[in-house]
Amino acid sequence: ESQNPEKIYISSEKKHIANLRLKQMLSPLEKRILIQYLQEKSYEEIAKKLGISVKSVDNAIQRIKNKISRMKV
């Protein structure tokens, strides 16, 4: 069963808007951490690559998750 082209377009636009809003909400460090996290890097790998502590990575990921959960699209 194929989807309605209009629904596909609206879904695509919602994703685009959410992505733009997320980019505006995240700090530069959070953006760098999110990219690594989405590449399935471990907290340790992210910390080493960015020269920060594992706890800083964990804190940033928690902030990112909170910001995402507060987004309304």
Side-chain angles (χ1 to χ4, degrees):
E1 161 183 334
S2 65
Q3 281 192 312
N4 175 331
E6 183 179 10
K7 286 183 181 180
I8 293 171
Y9 175 77
I10 291 170
S11 176
S12 174
E13 282 299 299
K14 283 183 177 182
K15 288 178 188 174
H16 178 70
I17 291 167
N19 189 26
L20 290 175
R21 288 180 60 203
L22 184 59
K23 285 181 179 178
Q24 292 173 344
M25 293 171 67
L26 299 180
S27 72
L29 177 63
E30 289 168 344
K31 289 176 192 173
R32 292 175 68 199
I33 289 173
L34 180 59
I35 289 167
Q36 297 295 313
Y37 183 73
L38 293 175
Q39 293 174 349
E40 300 183 4
K41 301 284 194 282
S42 70
Y43 285 22
E44 291 80 10
E45 290 172 310
I46 296 169
K48 185 175 181 181
K49 180 169 179 110
L50 300 181
I52 60 177
S53 70
V54 173
K55 184 64 178 166
S56 293
V57 171
D58 180 55
N59 290 341
I61 290 174
Q62 295 312 312
R63 287 193 306 273
I64 292 165
K65 288 179 178 180
N66 286 334
K67 289 177 181 182
I68 291 171
S69 71
R70 291 193 313 254
M71 286 179 56
K72 291 182 175 63
V73 178

